[in-house]
């Protein structure tokens, strides 16, 4: 058994001063405070001094990194992505597909399902893929962003079933535009299977977004991006996203997708448990400027932006920077901002992650109070 200590630990809901975090193999066995418990004499104690111990991050919307895309035909593309994620503190993630021809999507879902199952068997490295976020094909032509228009499909339960079967039940989140014909039926069916349905890439008016919620949708994909804008006499999907406390929202806090004041506005309206920080990161993350692949199309990384035909094509944001930006933009401290990168995304994905507790995998970060990562402990081992 080994034990770790530091100045504090955020579970993230609880705050423990002078913590003792005991790890055996890949798991946390106990969390205590040094004021209530002494480290047993036979335990190796690692002291991180002034640092804070926090759960590893969970990114529920990420397309790639380190030069690779999650939809690449070669399944080994996930390894550089997972290593890039872990380097930035992400220990769990949902590989996220973009709209592509149906055969390419089905093949990709099958490969991702295999990667998820293989990882459960202890077979690989870096951040762990826990499920799939399906972004497309049921998106609005009007708000498609860079998703290829010729591959967008009308929602039907039949098509959803094909996708579901290819993924072998590993789809955890599905982004859909609720105003499309057939969307309410597909939302209800996906919800019944345990998928967290997320409204996005949508031109929905308020009533259409409310109908999506009634059908079962409980999440919003990159709030403000790729949706009908908020207008005071036509509040649309954003009116629902910002006022319905049962809807959580994704935020891309790179300072490009949203003005910093909008990030602050979203934290104020949704509260600390209503926001999920995502990266929407692409293959260009942690790479030099140049051309990269997103699903089946190419885009360019230049001056910190990802562009395809003049439109934003995801980001090169990393989760550690997203947390620091959220702190700065919304005036939060680390303990507050952290929830949006750990517990909140885990709840949306419906997975028991994002919390430091006995029995959990020993996935945690050693951070300073400004949100910089000093060490990442992945499944009990320092990376
Ligand atoms: Zn995306």
């Amino acid at each position: 058994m080994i034990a770790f200590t530091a100045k504090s630990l955020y579970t993230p809901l609880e705050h423990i001063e002078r913590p003792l975090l005991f790890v055996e193999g890949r798991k946390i066995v106990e969390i205590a405070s040094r004021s209530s418990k002494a480290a047993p004499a036979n335990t190796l104690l690692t002291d991180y001094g002034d640092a804070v111990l926090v759960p590893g991050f969970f990114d529920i919307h990420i397309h790639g990194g380190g030069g690779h895309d999650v939809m690449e035909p070669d399944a080994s593309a996930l390894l550089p992505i997972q290593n890039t994620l872990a380097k930035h503190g992400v220990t769990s993630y949902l590989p996220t597909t973009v709209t592509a021809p149906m055969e390419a999507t089905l093949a990709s879902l099958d490969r991702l399902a295999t990667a998820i199952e293989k990882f459960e068997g202890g077979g690989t490295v870096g951040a762990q893929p826990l499920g799939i976020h399906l972004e497309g094909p049921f998106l609005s032509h009007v708000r498609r962003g860079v998703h290829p228009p010729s591959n967008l499909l009308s929602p039907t339960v039949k098509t959803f079933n094909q996708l579901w079967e290819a993924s072998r039940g590993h789809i955890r989140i599905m982004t859909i535009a609720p105003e499309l014909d057939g969307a309410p039926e597909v939302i209800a069916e996906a919800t019944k299977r345990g998928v967290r349905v997320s409204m996005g890439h949508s031109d929905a008016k308020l009533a259409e977004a409310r109908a999506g919620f009634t059908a079962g949708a409980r999440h919003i994909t990159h709030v403000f991006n790729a949706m009908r804008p908020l207008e005071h006499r036509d509040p649309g999907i954003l009116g629902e996203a910002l006022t319905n406390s049962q809807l959580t929202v994704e935020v891309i806090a790179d300072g490009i997708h949203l003005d910093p004041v909008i990030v602050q506005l979203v934290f104020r309206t949704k509260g600390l448990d209503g926001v999920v920080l995502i990266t929407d990161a692409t293959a260009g993350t942690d790479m030099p400027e140049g051309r990269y692949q997103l699903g089946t199309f190419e885009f360019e990384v230049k001056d910190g932006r990802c562009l395809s035909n003049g439109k934003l094509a995801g980001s090169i944001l990393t989760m550690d920077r997203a947390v620091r930006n959220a702190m700065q933009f919304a005036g939060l401290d680390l303990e507050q901002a952290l929830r949006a990168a750990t517990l909140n995304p885990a709840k949306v994905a419906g997975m028991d992650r994002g919390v430091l507790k006995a029995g959990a995998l020993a996935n945690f970060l050693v951070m300073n109070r400004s949100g910089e990562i000093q060490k990442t402990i992945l499944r009990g081992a320092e990376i």
Side-chain angles (χ1 to χ4, degrees):
M1 185 144 70
I2 46 175
F4 299 88
T5 187
K7 184 157 188 308
S8 9
L9 178 148
Y10 306 146
T11 63
L13 293 181
E14 276 178 87
H15 177 156
I16 299 167
E17 281 303 305
R18 302 185 72 230
L20 273 174
L21 188 151
F22 294 93
V23 172
E24 180 118 57
R26 294 153 52 94
K27 293 200 164 168
I28 297 171
V29 289
E30 189 186 355
I31 297 175
S33 155
R34 289 170 85 181
S35 59
S36 63
K37 189 177 174 109
N42 60 344
T43 304
L44 179 69
L45 182 68
T46 305
D47 188 347
Y48 290 114
D50 268 350
V52 188
L53 308 182
V54 309
F57 301 143
F58 193 157
D59 194 348
I60 61 171
H61 190 150
I62 179 256
H63 301 284
H68 292 274
D69 185 87
V70 300
M71 294 181 81
E72 273 175 44
D74 183 353
S76 67
L78 291 183
L79 303 183
I81 296 172
Q82 288 167 188
N83 282 328
T84 303
L85 285 167
K87 209 173 96 195
H88 294 284
V90 175
T91 54
S92 309
Y93 78 108
L94 300 186
T96 305
T97 59
V98 289
T99 307
M102 194 61 174
E103 319 81 76
T105 305
L106 294 174
S108 163
L109 291 173
D110 173 59
R111 275 193 304 277
L112 291 172
T114 303
I116 291 162
E117 288 159 5
K118 206 171 99 190
F119 211 113
E120 281 161 3
T124 188
V125 294
Q128 179 173 3
L130 285 171
I132 299 161
H133 181 159
L134 185 74
E135 190 180 15
F138 307 137
L139 311 178
S140 157
H141 276 269
V142 186
R143 304 286 174 195
R144 65 182 178 83
V146 296
H147 290 253
S150 57
N151 303 139
L152 296 177
L153 297 176
S154 297
T156 65
V157 171
K158 186 166 174 262
T159 307
F160 170 73
N161 275 333
Q162 271 184 290
L163 296 160
W164 177 255
E165 277 163 26
S167 81
R168 301 198 285 284
H170 286 294
I171 297 170
R172 302 302 313 169
I173 300 179
M174 177 178 67
T175 295
I176 184 169
E179 72 277 20
L180 301 177
D181 282 345
E185 292 75 23
V186 171
I187 293 172
E189 183 62 27
T191 301
K192 209 171 79 192
R193 312 256 175 108
V195 175
R196 179 62 55 118
V197 177
S198 184
M199 298 190 279
H201 283 279
S202 162
D203 199 41
K205 291 180 164 279
L206 182 62
E208 292 164 330
R210 286 188 171 159
F213 173 78
T214 304
R218 290 293 180 272
H219 188 60
I220 298 286
T221 299
H222 40 57
V223 72
F224 280 97
N225 295 120
M227 54 186 59
R228 170 183 284 261
L230 184 66
E231 215 275 320
H232 61 298
R233 290 195 183 88
D234 177 16
I237 182 173
L238 276 159
E240 179 69 354
L242 296 173
T243 58
N244 184 339
S245 60
Q246 292 186 69
L247 286 170
T248 46
V249 303
E250 294 178 355
V251 163
I252 310 174
D254 61 354
I256 293 168
H257 282 77
L258 299 170
D259 187 276
V261 83
I262 296 296
V263 174
Q264 184 183 140
L265 170 81
V266 172
F267 269 98
R268 288 203 191 182
T269 52
K270 300 305 294 180
L272 294 178
D273 56 1
V275 179
V276 175
L277 291 173
I278 59 160
T279 61
D280 204 5
T282 60
T285 309
D286 266 5
M287 295 296 289
E289 290 189 340
R291 296 192 72 77
Y292 296 94
Q293 201 75 16
L294 176 55
T296 50
F297 61 90
E298 259 195 7
F299 67 98
E300 186 171 21
V301 179
K302 199 169 188 315
D303 302 326
R305 283 163 198 267
C306 301
L307 291 173
S308 170
N309 296 320
K311 289 183 183 173
L312 279 176
S315 85
I316 50 167
L317 180 64
T318 57
M319 193 59 94
D320 53 337
R321 194 152 60 83
V323 169
R324 290 193 295 275
N325 285 348
M327 290 166 69
Q328 197 199 331
F329 299 167
L332 306 174
D333 62 26
L334 178 63
E335 188 174 4
Q336 294 169 319
L338 202 57
R339 285 163 61 175
T342 55
L343 180 59
N344 300 354
K347 277 194 191 159
V348 169
M351 328 261 353
D352 187 19
R353 295 287 169 117
V355 181
L356 295 180
K357 62 178 181 184
L361 277 178
N363 287 334
F364 63 93
L365 313 176
V366 181
M367 296 186 95
N368 66 20
R369 260 155 229 280
S370 326
E372 273 141 15
I373 299 172
Q374 295 165 346
K375 289 258 170 359
T376 299
I377 314 294
L378 192 63
R379 298 180 286 280
E382 209 178 272
I383 64 160

